[in-house]
Amino acid sequence: MTEAPHIFHNPRCSKSRQTLELLQQKGIEPEIIRYLETPPTEQELLHILDLLGCQPRDIMRTKEPEYREQALDNENLSSEALVEAMVRTPKLIERPIVVANGKAVIGRPPENVLTIIE
């Protein structure tokens, strides 16, 4: 590995804690980004989406009240509008996301991270 992996982490989320623990069990100390406190910029989120090979809606937490409150279920919203919503309201971003070795994966289940670190 050339640089330490990054984990977009919410310590209150069990899957996020399990993913971090799995990385640490493998001897990897990732850079922990508490994305609720330090949300990614639009550019960072677009880069993550590119690495994931996903569209913005694919990584949105659609069951969060903020999703409905901001009418983000409107199919006519552009990708740019969805990214802006996630930057403005990072609680909407699925977690955890691990970036390593020029790849990214959502740690649901936590074992997904093994595909990009081994």
Side-chain angles (χ1 to χ4, degrees), residues 22 98 100-101 103-106 110-118:
L22 179 61
V98 176
N101 299 319
K103 300 175 186 171
V105 70
I106 296 173
E111 293 77 21
N112 283 353
V113 302
L114 299 177
T115 64
I116 65 170
I117 63 167
E118 295 183 331

Side-chain angles (χ1 to χ4, degrees), residues 10-11 18 25 27 35 37 40 47 50 79 86 88 98 112:
N10 178 350
Q18 290 168 10
Q25 286 173 353
Y35 71 96
E37 299 164 15
H47 179 66
D50 186 49
S79 291
M86 286 188 280
R88 187 175 57 249
V98 176
N112 283 353

Side-chain angles (χ1 to χ4, degrees), residues 63-100:
K63 291 187 168 84
E64 294 294 339
E66 292 84 352
Y67 186 81
R68 288 182 302 284
E69 291 165 4
Q70 295 179 39
L72 297 171
D73 57 346
N74 178 345
E75 293 297 324
N76 294 320
L77 289 174
S78 67
S79 291
E80 294 79 16
L82 295 173
V83 168
E84 288 172 12
M86 286 188 280
V87 169
R88 187 175 57 249
T89 312
K91 185 178 182 182
L92 293 168
I93 302 171
E94 188 58 83
R95 63 192 180 247
I97 297 174
V98 176
V99 178

Side-chain angles (χ1 to χ4, degrees), residues 20-52:
L20 177 58
E21 184 178 326
L22 179 61
L23 289 169
Q24 291 170 332
Q25 286 173 353
K26 294 286 184 181
I28 298 168
E29 281 301 326
E31 178 182 345
I32 298 171
I33 300 167
R34 292 184 176 212
Y35 71 96
L36 294 177
E37 299 164 15
T38 309
T41 65
E42 285 183 42
Q43 294 78 19
E44 289 170 328
L45 196 51
L46 288 169
H47 179 66
I48 291 166
L49 285 165
D50 186 49
L51 292 176
L52 287 168

